[in-house]
PDB file of all heavy atoms in Angstrom:
ATOM      1  N   LEU A   1      14.080   5.299  -1.724  1.00  0.00           N
ATOM      2  CA  LEU A   1      13.988   4.229  -0.807  1.00  0.00           C
ATOM      3  C   LEU A   1      12.485   3.907  -0.488  1.00  0.00           C
ATOM      4  O   LEU A   1      11.816   4.861  -0.181  1.00  0.00           O
ATOM      5  CB  LEU A   1      14.841   4.532   0.515  1.00  0.00           C
ATOM      6  CG  LEU A   1      16.208   4.953   0.305  1.00  0.00           C
ATOM      7  CD1 LEU A   1      16.793   5.317   1.698  1.00  0.00           C
ATOM      8  CD2 LEU A   1      17.016   4.018  -0.374  1.00  0.00           C
ATOM      9  N   CYS A   2      12.087   2.728  -0.411  1.00  0.00           N
ATOM     10  CA  CYS A   2      10.815   2.381  -0.180  1.00  0.00           C
ATOM     11  C   CYS A   2      10.677   0.945   0.240  1.00  0.00           C
ATOM     12  O   CYS A   2      11.707   0.066   0.152  1.00  0.00           O
ATOM     13  CB  CYS A   2       9.844   2.611  -1.318  1.00  0.00           C
ATOM     14  SG  CYS A   2      10.138   1.725  -2.839  1.00  0.00           S
ATOM     15  N   SER A   3       9.515   0.413   0.691  1.00  0.00           N
ATOM     16  CA  SER A   3       9.360  -0.973   1.022  1.00  0.00           C
ATOM     17  C   SER A   3       9.381  -1.849  -0.211  1.00  0.00           C
ATOM     18  O   SER A   3       9.186  -1.368  -1.367  1.00  0.00           O
ATOM     19  CB  SER A   3       7.985  -1.161   1.753  1.00  0.00           C
ATOM     20  OG  SER A   3       6.919  -1.042   0.869  1.00  0.00           O
ATOM     21  N   GLU A   4       9.373  -3.142  -0.041  1.00  0.00           N
ATOM     22  CA  GLU A   4       9.458  -4.127  -1.200  1.00  0.00           C
ATOM     23  C   GLU A   4       8.110  -4.030  -2.021  1.00  0.00           C
ATOM     24  O   GLU A   4       8.159  -3.984  -3.201  1.00  0.00           O
ATOM     25  CB  GLU A   4       9.821  -5.498  -0.677  1.00  0.00           C
ATOM     26  CG  GLU A   4      11.222  -5.607  -0.251  1.00  0.00           C
ATOM     27  CD  GLU A   4      11.474  -6.886   0.526  1.00  0.00           C
ATOM     28  OE1 GLU A   4      10.694  -7.356   1.366  1.00  0.00           O
ATOM     29  OE2 GLU A   4      12.565  -7.508   0.171  1.00  0.00           O
ATOM     30  N   PRO A   5       6.892  -4.049  -1.334  1.00  0.00           N
ATOM     31  CA  PRO A   5       5.723  -3.945  -2.165  1.00  0.00           C
ATOM     32  C   PRO A   5       5.679  -2.671  -2.940  1.00  0.00           C
ATOM     33  O   PRO A   5       5.280  -2.498  -4.020  1.00  0.00           O
ATOM     34  CB  PRO A   5       4.603  -4.105  -1.129  1.00  0.00           C
ATOM     35  CG  PRO A   5       5.230  -4.813  -0.057  1.00  0.00           C
ATOM     36  CD  PRO A   5       6.671  -4.405   0.032  1.00  0.00           C
ATOM     37  N   SER A   6       6.099  -1.505  -2.236  1.00  0.00           N
ATOM     38  CA  SER A   6       6.027  -0.200  -2.891  1.00  0.00           C
ATOM     39  C   SER A   6       7.027  -0.137  -4.060  1.00  0.00           C
ATOM     40  O   SER A   6       6.682   0.568  -5.011  1.00  0.00           O
ATOM     41  CB  SER A   6       6.454   0.927  -1.819  1.00  0.00           C
ATOM     42  OG  SER A   6       5.405   1.105  -0.904  1.00  0.00           O
ATOM     43  N   ALA A   7       8.054  -0.862  -4.021  1.00  0.00           N
ATOM     44  CA  ALA A   7       9.009  -0.846  -5.183  1.00  0.00           C
ATOM     45  C   ALA A   7       8.401  -1.464  -6.429  1.00  0.00           C
ATOM     46  O   ALA A   7       8.641  -0.984  -7.465  1.00  0.00           O
ATOM     47  CB  ALA A   7      10.203  -1.743  -4.790  1.00  0.00           C
ATOM     48  N   LYS A   8       7.365  -2.333  -6.169  1.00  0.00           N
ATOM     49  CA  LYS A   8       6.582  -2.901  -7.406  1.00  0.00           C
ATOM     50  C   LYS A   8       5.515  -1.990  -7.783  1.00  0.00           C
ATOM     51  O   LYS A   8       5.175  -1.790  -8.986  1.00  0.00           O
ATOM     52  CB  LYS A   8       6.039  -4.237  -6.988  1.00  0.00           C
ATOM     53  CG  LYS A   8       5.429  -5.065  -8.154  1.00  0.00           C
ATOM     54  CD  LYS A   8       5.033  -6.428  -7.734  1.00  0.00           C
ATOM     55  CE  LYS A   8       4.476  -7.245  -8.877  1.00  0.00           C
ATOM     56  NZ  LYS A   8       5.565  -7.621  -9.843  1.00  0.00           N
ATOM     57  N   LEU A   9       4.900  -1.209  -6.841  1.00  0.00           N
ATOM     58  CA  LEU A   9       3.720  -0.401  -7.164  1.00  0.00           C
ATOM     59  C   LEU A   9       4.137   0.989  -7.627  1.00  0.00           C
ATOM     60  O   LEU A   9       3.427   1.675  -8.432  1.00  0.00           O
ATOM     61  CB  LEU A   9       2.852  -0.262  -5.923  1.00  0.00           C
ATOM     62  CG  LEU A   9       2.228  -1.523  -5.361  1.00  0.00           C
ATOM     63  CD1 LEU A   9       1.713  -1.370  -3.989  1.00  0.00           C
ATOM     64  CD2 LEU A   9       1.252  -2.127  -6.297  1.00  0.00           C
ATOM     65  N   LEU A  10       5.289   1.519  -7.158  1.00  0.00           N
ATOM     66  CA  LEU A  10       5.708   2.853  -7.440  1.00  0.00           C
ATOM     67  C   LEU A  10       5.864   3.251  -8.915  1.00  0.00           C
ATOM     68  O   LEU A  10       5.413   4.278  -9.331  1.00  0.00           O
ATOM     69  CB  LEU A  10       6.953   3.273  -6.644  1.00  0.00           C
ATOM     70  CG  LEU A  10       7.409   4.699  -6.702  1.00  0.00           C
ATOM     71  CD1 LEU A  10       6.311   5.699  -6.204  1.00  0.00           C
ATOM     72  CD2 LEU A  10       8.709   4.901  -5.907  1.00  0.00           C
ATOM     73  N   PRO A  11       6.461   2.442  -9.711  1.00  0.00           N
ATOM     74  CA  PRO A  11       6.610   2.675 -11.220  1.00  0.00           C
ATOM     75  C   PRO A  11       5.243   2.807 -11.800  1.00  0.00           C
ATOM     76  O   PRO A  11       5.114   3.680 -12.772  1.00  0.00           O
ATOM     77  CB  PRO A  11       7.398   1.527 -11.752  1.00  0.00           C
ATOM     78  CG  PRO A  11       8.243   0.989 -10.546  1.00  0.00           C
ATOM     79  CD  PRO A  11       7.222   1.165  -9.299  1.00  0.00           C
ATOM     80  N   ILE A  12       4.265   2.081 -11.373  1.00  0.00           N
ATOM     81  CA  ILE A  12       2.921   2.296 -12.055  1.00  0.00           C
ATOM     82  C   ILE A  12       2.404   3.646 -11.756  1.00  0.00           C
ATOM     83  O   ILE A  12       1.761   4.258 -12.556  1.00  0.00           O
ATOM     84  CB  ILE A  12       1.989   1.147 -11.481  1.00  0.00           C
ATOM     85  CG1 ILE A  12       2.530  -0.276 -11.742  1.00  0.00           C
ATOM     86  CG2 ILE A  12       0.626   1.238 -12.145  1.00  0.00           C
ATOM     87  CD1 ILE A  12       1.704  -1.364 -11.107  1.00  0.00           C
ATOM     88  N   VAL A  13       2.501   4.057 -10.426  1.00  0.00           N
ATOM     89  CA  VAL A  13       1.935   5.401 -10.082  1.00  0.00           C
ATOM     90  C   VAL A  13       2.749   6.485 -10.842  1.00  0.00           C
ATOM     91  O   VAL A  13       2.088   7.439 -11.286  1.00  0.00           O
ATOM     92  CB  VAL A  13       2.125   5.560  -8.524  1.00  0.00           C
ATOM     93  CG1 VAL A  13       1.682   6.993  -8.151  1.00  0.00           C
ATOM     94  CG2 VAL A  13       1.320   4.588  -7.721  1.00  0.00           C
ATOM     95  N   LEU A  14       4.015   6.409 -10.851  1.00  0.00           N
ATOM     96  CA  LEU A  14       4.793   7.473 -11.458  1.00  0.00           C
ATOM     97  C   LEU A  14       4.627   7.409 -13.034  1.00  0.00           C
ATOM     98  O   LEU A  14       4.865   8.518 -13.596  1.00  0.00           O
ATOM     99  CB  LEU A  14       6.331   7.326 -11.088  1.00  0.00           C
ATOM    100  CG  LEU A  14       6.528   7.498  -9.645  1.00  0.00           C
ATOM    101  CD1 LEU A  14       8.063   7.434  -9.371  1.00  0.00           C
ATOM    102  CD2 LEU A  14       5.978   8.801  -9.105  1.00  0.00           C
ATOM    103  N   GLU A  15       4.431   6.306 -13.585  1.00  0.00           N
ATOM    104  CA  GLU A  15       4.126   6.276 -15.069  1.00  0.00           C
ATOM    105  C   GLU A  15       2.819   7.158 -15.334  1.00  0.00           C
ATOM    106  O   GLU A  15       2.802   7.924 -16.270  1.00  0.00           O
ATOM    107  CB  GLU A  15       3.928   4.931 -15.532  1.00  0.00           C
ATOM    108  CG  GLU A  15       3.511   4.835 -17.032  1.00  0.00           C
ATOM    109  CD  GLU A  15       3.357   3.410 -17.567  1.00  0.00           C
ATOM    110  OE1 GLU A  15       3.850   2.526 -16.899  1.00  0.00           O
ATOM    111  OE2 GLU A  15       2.693   3.276 -18.528  1.00  0.00           O
ATOM    112  N   ASP A  16       1.753   6.921 -14.482  1.00  0.00           N
ATOM    113  CA  ASP A  16       0.586   7.692 -14.663  1.00  0.00           C
ATOM    114  C   ASP A  16       0.813   9.183 -14.433  1.00  0.00           C
ATOM    115  O   ASP A  16       0.350  10.000 -15.117  1.00  0.00           O
ATOM    116  CB  ASP A  16      -0.440   7.176 -13.600  1.00  0.00           C
ATOM    117  CG  ASP A  16      -1.883   7.667 -13.976  1.00  0.00           C
ATOM    118  OD1 ASP A  16      -2.380   7.458 -15.056  1.00  0.00           O
ATOM    119  OD2 ASP A  16      -2.396   8.412 -13.099  1.00  0.00           O
ATOM    120  N   ALA A  17       1.555   9.548 -13.355  1.00  0.00           N
ATOM    121  CA  ALA A  17       1.903  10.965 -13.021  1.00  0.00           C
ATOM    122  C   ALA A  17       2.713  11.585 -14.212  1.00  0.00           C
ATOM    123  O   ALA A  17       2.450  12.759 -14.568  1.00  0.00           O
ATOM    124  CB  ALA A  17       2.631  11.048 -11.761  1.00  0.00           C
ATOM    125  N   PHE A  18       3.627  10.788 -14.780  1.00  0.00           N
ATOM    126  CA  PHE A  18       4.393  11.293 -15.915  1.00  0.00           C
ATOM    127  C   PHE A  18       3.490  11.635 -17.143  1.00  0.00           C
ATOM    128  O   PHE A  18       3.661  12.677 -17.821  1.00  0.00           O
ATOM    129  CB  PHE A  18       5.489  10.320 -16.250  1.00  0.00           C
ATOM    130  CG  PHE A  18       6.537  10.876 -17.348  1.00  0.00           C
ATOM    131  CD1 PHE A  18       7.497  11.656 -16.875  1.00  0.00           C
ATOM    132  CD2 PHE A  18       6.365  10.542 -18.642  1.00  0.00           C
ATOM    133  CE1 PHE A  18       8.465  12.187 -17.800  1.00  0.00           C
ATOM    134  CE2 PHE A  18       7.242  11.019 -19.555  1.00  0.00           C
ATOM    135  CZ  PHE A  18       8.295  11.819 -19.187  1.00  0.00           C
ATOM    136  N   LYS A  19       2.545  10.699 -17.409  1.00  0.00           N
ATOM    137  CA  LYS A  19       1.670  10.954 -18.551  1.00  0.00           C
ATOM    138  C   LYS A  19       0.807  12.151 -18.328  1.00  0.00           C
ATOM    139  O   LYS A  19       0.573  12.908 -19.281  1.00  0.00           O
ATOM    140  CB  LYS A  19       0.644   9.757 -18.689  1.00  0.00           C
ATOM    141  CG  LYS A  19       1.337   8.459 -19.161  1.00  0.00           C
ATOM    142  CD  LYS A  19       0.351   7.297 -19.158  1.00  0.00           C
ATOM    143  CE  LYS A  19       0.892   6.056 -19.653  1.00  0.00           C
ATOM    144  NZ  LYS A  19      -0.101   4.928 -19.589  1.00  0.00           N
ATOM    145  N   LEU A  20       0.389  12.372 -17.062  1.00  0.00           N
ATOM    146  CA  LEU A  20      -0.539  13.530 -16.813  1.00  0.00           C
ATOM    147  C   LEU A  20       0.302  14.888 -16.911  1.00  0.00           C
ATOM    148  O   LEU A  20      -0.248  15.889 -17.269  1.00  0.00           O
ATOM    149  CB  LEU A  20      -1.159  13.351 -15.451  1.00  0.00           C
ATOM    150  CG  LEU A  20      -2.199  12.207 -15.325  1.00  0.00           C
ATOM    151  CD1 LEU A  20      -2.687  12.062 -13.920  1.00  0.00           C
ATOM    152  CD2 LEU A  20      -3.374  12.519 -16.327  1.00  0.00           C
ATOM    153  N   GLY A  21       1.509  14.883 -16.403  1.00  0.00           N
ATOM    154  CA  GLY A  21       2.302  16.078 -16.161  1.00  0.00           C
ATOM    155  C   GLY A  21       3.214  16.447 -17.243  1.00  0.00           C
ATOM    156  O   GLY A  21       3.630  17.604 -17.370  1.00  0.00           O
ATOM    157  N   PHE A  22       3.726  15.379 -17.946  1.00  0.00           N
ATOM    158  CA  PHE A  22       4.867  15.658 -18.894  1.00  0.00           C
ATOM    159  C   PHE A  22       4.588  15.200 -20.304  1.00  0.00           C
ATOM    160  O   PHE A  22       4.614  16.079 -21.221  1.00  0.00           O
ATOM    161  CB  PHE A  22       6.115  14.919 -18.325  1.00  0.00           C
ATOM    162  CG  PHE A  22       6.730  15.568 -17.078  1.00  0.00           C
ATOM    163  CD1 PHE A  22       6.211  15.250 -15.837  1.00  0.00           C
ATOM    164  CD2 PHE A  22       7.688  16.530 -17.210  1.00  0.00           C
ATOM    165  CE1 PHE A  22       6.705  15.826 -14.705  1.00  0.00           C
ATOM    166  CE2 PHE A  22       8.236  17.153 -16.069  1.00  0.00           C
ATOM    167  CZ  PHE A  22       7.735  16.798 -14.863  1.00  0.00           C
ATOM    168  N   SER A  23       4.380  13.899 -20.524  1.00  0.00           N
ATOM    169  CA  SER A  23       4.339  13.494 -21.923  1.00  0.00           C
ATOM    170  C   SER A  23       3.636  12.145 -22.047  1.00  0.00           C
ATOM    171  O   SER A  23       3.687  11.316 -21.067  1.00  0.00           O
ATOM    172  CB  SER A  23       5.732  13.271 -22.581  1.00  0.00           C
ATOM    173  OG  SER A  23       5.694  12.708 -23.815  1.00  0.00           O
ATOM    174  N   ARG A  24       2.894  11.859 -23.110  1.00  0.00           N
ATOM    175  CA  ARG A  24       2.301  10.585 -23.374  1.00  0.00           C
ATOM    176  C   ARG A  24       3.037   9.853 -24.350  1.00  0.00           C
ATOM    177  O   ARG A  24       2.580   8.765 -24.842  1.00  0.00           O
ATOM    178  CB  ARG A  24       0.799  10.788 -23.800  1.00  0.00           C
ATOM    179  CG  ARG A  24      -0.063  11.246 -22.639  1.00  0.00           C
ATOM    180  CD  ARG A  24      -1.538  11.195 -23.033  1.00  0.00           C
ATOM    181  NE  ARG A  24      -2.445  11.479 -21.883  1.00  0.00           N
ATOM    182  CZ  ARG A  24      -2.938  10.545 -21.000  1.00  0.00           C
ATOM    183  NH1 ARG A  24      -2.581   9.219 -21.318  1.00  0.00           N
ATOM    184  NH2 ARG A  24      -3.721  10.866 -20.019  1.00  0.00           N
ATOM    185  N   ASP A  25       4.187  10.391 -24.795  1.00  0.00           N
ATOM    186  CA  ASP A  25       5.014   9.678 -25.791  1.00  0.00           C
ATOM    187  C   ASP A  25       5.573   8.410 -25.215  1.00  0.00           C
ATOM    188  O   ASP A  25       6.312   8.402 -24.123  1.00  0.00           O
ATOM    189  CB  ASP A  25       6.201  10.633 -26.235  1.00  0.00           C
ATOM    190  CG  ASP A  25       7.102   9.906 -27.289  1.00  0.00           C
ATOM    191  OD1 ASP A  25       6.694   9.943 -28.433  1.00  0.00           O
ATOM    192  OD2 ASP A  25       8.048   9.349 -26.831  1.00  0.00           O
ATOM    193  N   ARG A  26       5.293   7.226 -25.875  1.00  0.00           N
ATOM    194  CA  ARG A  26       5.610   5.949 -25.292  1.00  0.00           C
ATOM    195  C   ARG A  26       7.103   5.806 -25.006  1.00  0.00           C
ATOM    196  O   ARG A  26       7.487   5.248 -24.020  1.00  0.00           O
ATOM    197  CB  ARG A  26       5.107   4.850 -26.234  1.00  0.00           C
ATOM    198  CG  ARG A  26       5.188   3.420 -25.609  1.00  0.00           C
ATOM    199  CD  ARG A  26       4.201   3.259 -24.564  1.00  0.00           C
ATOM    200  NE  ARG A  26       4.792   2.928 -23.317  1.00  0.00           N
ATOM    201  CZ  ARG A  26       4.259   2.921 -22.172  1.00  0.00           C
ATOM    202  NH1 ARG A  26       3.016   3.200 -21.985  1.00  0.00           N
ATOM    203  NH2 ARG A  26       4.865   2.595 -21.095  1.00  0.00           N
ATOM    204  N   ALA A  27       7.937   6.192 -25.975  1.00  0.00           N
ATOM    205  CA  ALA A  27       9.340   6.103 -25.807  1.00  0.00           C
ATOM    206  C   ALA A  27       9.876   6.888 -24.639  1.00  0.00           C
ATOM    207  O   ALA A  27      10.681   6.424 -23.778  1.00  0.00           O
ATOM    208  CB  ALA A  27      10.077   6.540 -27.081  1.00  0.00           C
ATOM    209  N   LYS A  28       9.360   8.114 -24.437  1.00  0.00           N
ATOM    210  CA  LYS A  28       9.781   8.992 -23.256  1.00  0.00           C
ATOM    211  C   LYS A  28       9.335   8.348 -21.949  1.00  0.00           C
ATOM    212  O   LYS A  28      10.023   8.356 -21.000  1.00  0.00           O
ATOM    213  CB  LYS A  28       9.174  10.413 -23.411  1.00  0.00           C
ATOM    214  CG  LYS A  28       9.851  11.230 -24.567  1.00  0.00           C
ATOM    215  CD  LYS A  28       9.267  12.595 -24.675  1.00  0.00           C
ATOM    216  CE  LYS A  28       9.983  13.362 -25.777  1.00  0.00           C
ATOM    217  NZ  LYS A  28       9.314  14.715 -25.843  1.00  0.00           N
ATOM    218  N   ILE A  29       8.128   7.756 -22.021  1.00  0.00           N
ATOM    219  CA  ILE A  29       7.625   7.189 -20.778  1.00  0.00           C
ATOM    220  C   ILE A  29       8.449   6.037 -20.446  1.00  0.00           C
ATOM    221  O   ILE A  29       8.893   5.807 -19.200  1.00  0.00           O
ATOM    222  CB  ILE A  29       6.112   6.710 -20.933  1.00  0.00           C
ATOM    223  CG1 ILE A  29       5.232   7.939 -21.132  1.00  0.00           C
ATOM    224  CG2 ILE A  29       5.680   5.826 -19.768  1.00  0.00           C
ATOM    225  CD1 ILE A  29       3.769   7.569 -21.590  1.00  0.00           C
ATOM    226  N   GLU A  30       8.744   5.157 -21.327  1.00  0.00           N
ATOM    227  CA  GLU A  30       9.612   4.005 -21.004  1.00  0.00           C
ATOM    228  C   GLU A  30      10.960   4.344 -20.539  1.00  0.00           C
ATOM    229  O   GLU A  30      11.551   3.727 -19.574  1.00  0.00           O
ATOM    230  CB  GLU A  30       9.661   3.085 -22.218  1.00  0.00           C
ATOM    231  CG  GLU A  30       8.376   2.371 -22.607  1.00  0.00           C
ATOM    232  CD  GLU A  30       8.508   1.586 -23.853  1.00  0.00           C
ATOM    233  OE1 GLU A  30       9.559   1.604 -24.489  1.00  0.00           O
ATOM    234  OE2 GLU A  30       7.493   0.943 -24.179  1.00  0.00           O
TER     235      GLU A  30
END
């Protein structure tokens, strides 16, 4: 749950966090 602006921004942040911590594989990221 988050605010409406955060709902647009959060996927960008979590994509970056996923790249740093888990995988840079494009298919896995998507």
Side-chain angles (χ1 to χ4, degrees):
L1 311 176
C2 62
S3 71
E4 292 171 313
S6 289
K8 189 175 184 70
L9 300 169
L10 185 58
I12 303 174
V13 176
L14 294 185
E15 177 181 339
D16 190 61
F18 187 83
K19 288 178 183 177
L20 292 175
F22 288 85
S23 173
R24 289 187 173 271
D25 181 84
R26 190 67 241 171
K28 291 181 179 179
I29 293 171
E30 290 177 357

